[in-house]
Every structure is written in structure tokens, then in C-alpha cells.
């Protein structure tokens, strides 16, 4: 059964005023479908982007038989199906549940976990955070109060290389040497044991819910909490039985050295449920926080000795392209709208390239993204996917570029990027400069490669 989407969101508050949320978030899910101009839309949360080979096939079948034949990869490494019929909800849920893609119907929209996609595959990183992601997902689904998290609340797990640490997580874990992790929440950082990382993340989410409830503003994310209502993470960790200490700013998390082996420490399989507490203690003075590590995503091509990294042009895969990823030990969607295929060697790259996937770091499609645009989105002013042209070879080494059909700029990259925005007159603004549609390739290439 399809659930109705909430009404139009409340206006953005003036600077300095707390945001007031008087409703739940409108994020679509696998069970709560969104109505779009091209049909219904389903968003399937894939913790750490992970899919088994069987789940890849089921997703391809769902796209072919229920949707428009394509799968979109989101900026959180989740999957979207578009062009769904109004009456397909029950069949879609049956398909997904049968493949193990809906472990908890009550929690399906809160399983927002991004993790370093190459973790455990290339010998880099301080820990295999993909294991942390699996444990955290199991904890979320087993914890009743976690279903109250917003569909926009985000957990980010970085293995120390800095590829995902900057993606704006509400709760961010960064693996560091010595079997430890740094836990970042609301501008503060604590050090916990790596074996406690998943439990610590869950406890931090509970601290957020407590702070949001006390603030009374209906905050969906940590950054929306008003001043004076910061999450009391130390108390939450204590109540969860997770030892923690202030992170040492003199030993910041930084991208791990290629010589660093992956941390082989096992992650605990099961822990007790945490319940958030209404008790609050005065906030201690804020200590200096170690900077988040800053690294680059893995480029398209070989990844270690038994995996490859690919990009989907404009973040969309046909069902045939999805099947071309098989056989695989597992497939991981990435927040850069790409795919890591574990168990695939370099001998697979020519066939994957022939299937239309980006397999080379010098491809002109590297760093190019776009929102849905027309005809799928009623708010869009243009068919931005048709207008999103790749630059010349070498442009991939410049800034990312995102083509947007309206000022919401859905799915734009984090950090610095070239902004291409459709205008009512049929042309575009490239970083604010009016640009005719016919001049987009040259203007975009210049903007991406010019230092600002």
C-alpha cells in the first residue's frame, strides 16, 4: 500500500532563527512511494551501498517489470526506481523483502549509512568499516526508538582515507590507528574503541533524538538543533556502556598511509538495546576537535587485486548494465554515483566499458552529475540530463560539475563544484554567469578547470 506524502515543507527560517519542523520528513522510501511526473518513485536504502549478487538481480527485475528499466544511484549510495505504477507497491515490497532488502519495514527509511566503498578491498584504511556498517544496520533495525530518526539523518563511516568523512554526516565515525575510532557529532569529537564503533554511533543517534525532543523544534538533523540543545553524547555513551575519551587534537584523523594494513579486529556481533534518556546534564566546555580527514574517492579502474571501481554516467544504470556487474562477490553503490565490484579483476574492464560504464579515470564523464530534470520532475525548468554534456578528456581532473533544473539543486556534490542551473528562459547560469544552452560545453569546461 502506498503511503501519502506529507504537505509542502515549511519556509526556511531567517538567519539566526531556529528551524521549526511541524511534520515528519517527506523522503520517499521503498514502502512510502513519492509521486513524480514520470510515475511513482521508490528509494531503497542500501547501508554502505552493499548488494549481494542475488539482490543485484532482483533490483534489475524490479526496474524492468515495475519501473522504467533503470536504477538511479543517489549521493548517499542508495538506489531509486522511477516510473512505477500506482498499484505496484505490494509487488515491489514482496520482491525486496524476498531478497533481504527490507529487514525491518518500520526502519526502512532510517538505514542511511555511507561507508568507505573500498574498505577491506585494497589494503588501505585503518579498519574495515564495511563491517561496522553491517553491525550498525543490525542495531538500528533491532532498536525500536531508532525508527523515530528522520529519513534524512545520516551516518558516515570513514576508514581513515578521508573519502567519505566530508559528506556531512550527522554521526561520523573515522577509523584511526591503534584499533580506535573518532566519533564526530555536532562539532565535537570523542575517541572510542573500534570494536565499540557501531554501538557508539547508535548511542549518538539516541542523544540526538533526546536533544530534538527537548528542543521541541522537530529537528530532522543535528545541524538543525537550536543553540543550547546539543546532543549529550558523553552521557549517552556512558549509559550504553561504551568507554570514551576526548579526541586528542594533536593526533588528528588523517588519510591513512598506503603502508597501513587494514585493522583485523573483529566487530562485536550483538549488543544490548539503548534507550534514550530524558535526563540532561550541563554541557562541558567544548574541547578542540581534530579535523576530519580529506581524501579523494577511488578513481574508476582497478581497486586492489580483486575489485574494480566504476561510475554510472549521470548516476543511472539500465537493468542490463546492472546485470553486467555480475558475477561478483558483492556490489557496492558509492556516494559518487558509482559502483565497486568485489571479486572482479582487470580482465572484466573491457566488457564493462562496452556496457557503457565509466572504467577509466580520464573519462570525460568523471565528476559530471545531474538532477532528475524534465520530464520526471515538475519543478525542473529543463531536461538537464540531455543538456549535461561531458567535457574533453582531462576535464575530470577539475572541479565536479552538477546540472540542476531548479534552485533546489537536488543531489549536488559536497565541497567545491561547478554549478550549472537552468533558467526560465531556456538557458543556464554557470556559476552565476548567464550562458546559452549552445555554449554550455565550453563554459562548463572553463569553469571546472579555472582556479577560483
Amino acid at each position: 500500500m502506498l503511503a501519502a506524502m506529507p504537505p509542502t515543507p515549511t519556509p526556511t527560517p531567517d538567519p539566526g532563527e531556529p528551524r521549526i519542523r511541524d511534520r515528519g520528513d517527506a523522503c520517499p522510501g521503498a514502502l512510502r512511494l513519492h509521486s513524480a511526473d514520470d510515475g511513482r518513485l521508490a528509494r531503497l536504502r542500501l547501508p554502505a551501498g552493499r548488494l549481494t549478487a542475488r539482490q543485484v538481480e532482483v533490483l534489475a527485475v524490479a526496474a524492468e517489470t515495475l519501473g522504467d528499466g533503470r536504477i538511479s544511484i543517489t549521493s548517499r549510495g542508495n538506489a531509486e526506481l522511477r516510473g512505477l505504477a500506482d498499484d505496484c507497491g505490494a509487488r515491489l515490497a514482496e520482491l525486496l523483502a524476498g531478497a533481504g532488502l527490507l529487514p525491518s519495514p518500520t526502519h526502512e527509511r532510517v538505514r542511511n549509512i555511507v561507508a568507505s566503498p573500498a574498505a577491506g578491498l585494497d589494503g588501505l584504511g585503518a579498519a574495515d568499516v564495511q563491517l561496522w556498517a553491517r553491525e550498525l544496520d543490525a542495531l538500528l533495525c533491532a532498536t525500536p526508538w531508532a525508527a523515530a530518526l528522520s529519513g534524512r539523518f545520516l551516518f558516515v563511516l570513514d576508514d581513515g582515507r578521508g573519502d567519505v568523512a566530508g559528506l556531512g554526516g550527522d554521526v561520523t565515525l573515522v577509523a584511526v590507528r591503534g584499533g580506535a575510532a573518532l566519533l564526530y557529532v555536532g562539532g565535537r569529537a570523542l575517541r572510542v574503541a573500534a570494536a565499540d564503533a557501531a554501538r557508539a554511533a547508535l548511542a549518538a543517534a539516541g542523544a540526538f533524538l533526546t536533544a530534538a525532543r527537548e528542543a521541541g523544534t522537530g529537528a530532522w538533523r543535528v545541524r538543525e538543533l537550536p543553540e543550547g540543545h546539543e546532543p549529550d553524547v558523553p552521557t549517552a555513551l556512558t549509559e550504553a556502556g561504551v568507554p570514551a575519551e576526548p579526541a586528542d587534537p594533536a593526533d588528528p584523523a588523517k588519510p591513512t598511509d598506503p603502508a597501513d594494513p587494514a585493522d583485523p579486529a573483529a566487530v562485536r556481533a550483538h549488543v544490548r538495546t539503548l534507550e534514550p534518556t530524558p535526563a540532561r546534564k550541563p554541557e562541558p566546555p567544548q574541547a578542540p576537535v581534530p579535523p576530519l580527514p580529506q581524501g579523494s574517492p577511488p578513481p574508476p579502474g582497478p581497486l586492489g587485486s580483486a575489485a574494480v571501481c566504476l561510475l554510472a554516467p549521470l548516476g543511472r544504470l539500465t537493468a542490463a548494465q546492472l546485470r553486467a556487474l555480475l558475477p561478483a562477490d558483492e556490489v557496492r553503490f558509492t556516494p559518487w554515483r558509482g559502483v565497486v565490484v568485489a571479486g572482479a579483476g582487470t580482465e572484466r574492464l573491457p566488457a564493462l566499458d562496452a556496457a557503457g560504464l565509466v572504467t577509466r579515470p580520464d573519462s570525460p564523464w568523471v565528476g559530471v552529475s545531474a538532477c532528475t530534470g524534465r520530464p520526471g520532475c515538475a519543478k525542473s525548468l529543463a531536461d538537464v540530463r540531455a543538456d549535461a554534456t561531458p567535457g574533453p578528456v582531462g576535464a575530470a581532473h577539475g572541479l565536479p560539475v552538477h546540472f540542476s533544473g531548479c534552485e533546489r539543486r537536488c543531489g549536488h556534490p559536497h565541497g567545491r563544484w561547478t554549478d550549472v542551473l537552468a533558467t526560465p528562459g531556456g538557458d543556464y547560469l554557470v556559476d552565476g554567469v548567464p550562458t546559452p544552452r549552445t555554449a554550455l560545453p565550453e563554459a562548463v569546461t572553463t569553469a571546472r578547470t579555472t582556479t577560483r
Side-chain angles (χ1 to χ4, degrees), residues 189-206:
L190 294 167
R191 186 182 183 95
V192 300
D196 290 330
R199 273 203 303 158
L202 181 69

Side-chain angles (χ1 to χ4, degrees), residues 3 42 57 67 78 122 128 183 195 218 272 302 323 340 349 396 409 425 449:
E57 174 60 28
N78 293 320
D122 60 358
D128 186 350
L183 173 67
R272 68 177 179 85
R323 290 193 175 98
V340 167
L349 289 175
R409 296 174 171 86
T449 55

Side-chain angles (χ1 to χ4, degrees), residues 182-449:
L182 298 185
L183 173 67
Y184 292 82
V185 183
R188 303 189 178 199
L190 294 167
R191 186 182 183 95
V192 300
D196 290 330
R199 273 203 303 158
L202 181 69
F208 161 76
L209 286 177
T210 298
R213 182 174 62 250
E214 293 179 354
T217 58
W220 296 342
R221 307 199 63 186
V222 170
R223 64 171 177 260
E224 295 178 0
L225 290 170
E227 186 176 354
H229 289 274
E230 293 77 14
D232 187 359
V233 177
T235 296
L237 293 177
T238 298
E239 294 175 350
V242 176
E245 61 184 23
D248 185 357
D251 184 24
K254 59 184 177 181
T256 50
D257 190 279
D260 292 339
D263 186 357
V267 181
R268 296 176 184 172
H270 180 71
V271 291
R272 68 177 179 85
T273 298
L274 167 71
E275 289 291 346
T277 174
R280 292 297 303 273
K281 296 180 179 180
E283 291 289 337
Q286 185 168 346
V289 176
L292 288 167
Q294 298 181 14
S296 300
L303 188 64
S305 60
V308 295
C309 184
L310 312 165
L311 291 176
L314 297 181
R316 300 204 80 188
L317 296 169
T318 64
Q321 288 173 325
L322 193 61
R323 290 193 175 98
L325 304 176
L326 302 176
D329 294 341
E330 71 178 32
V331 168
R332 301 173 184 175
F333 285 1
T334 77
W336 310 287
R337 296 181 170 85
V339 182
V340 167
V341 184
T346 56
E347 72 280 357
R348 295 272 304 278
L349 289 175
L352 291 166
D353 183 79
L357 296 157
V358 177
T359 62
R360 306 185 320 276
D362 63 348
S363 166
W365 284 107
V366 173
V368 182
S369 61
C371 70
T372 297
R374 299 294 301 165
C377 178
K379 292 182 173 63
S380 181
L381 299 173
D383 184 353
V384 292
R385 290 180 175 272
D387 293 338
T389 55
V393 173
H397 298 291
L399 291 174
V401 57
H402 187 71
F403 291 75
S404 303
C406 75
E407 292 186 355
R408 295 185 304 165
R409 296 174 171 86
C410 294
H412 69 76
H414 286 264
R416 295 178 60 213
W417 48 282
T418 296
D419 179 31
V420 183
L421 177 66
T423 63
D427 292 321
Y428 284 83
L429 298 176
V430 177
D431 285 339
V433 178
T435 305
R437 177 184 278 107
T438 55
L440 274 180
E442 297 79 7
V444 169
T445 298
T446 299
R448 295 182 71 188
T449 55

Side-chain angles (χ1 to χ4, degrees), residues 12-33:
T12 301
D14 293 331
E17 293 184 0
R19 179 185 288 271
I20 306 297
R21 302 283 195 186
D22 58 4
R23 61 172 181 83
D25 72 89
C27 284
L31 301 178
R32 188 171 81 174
L33 309 189

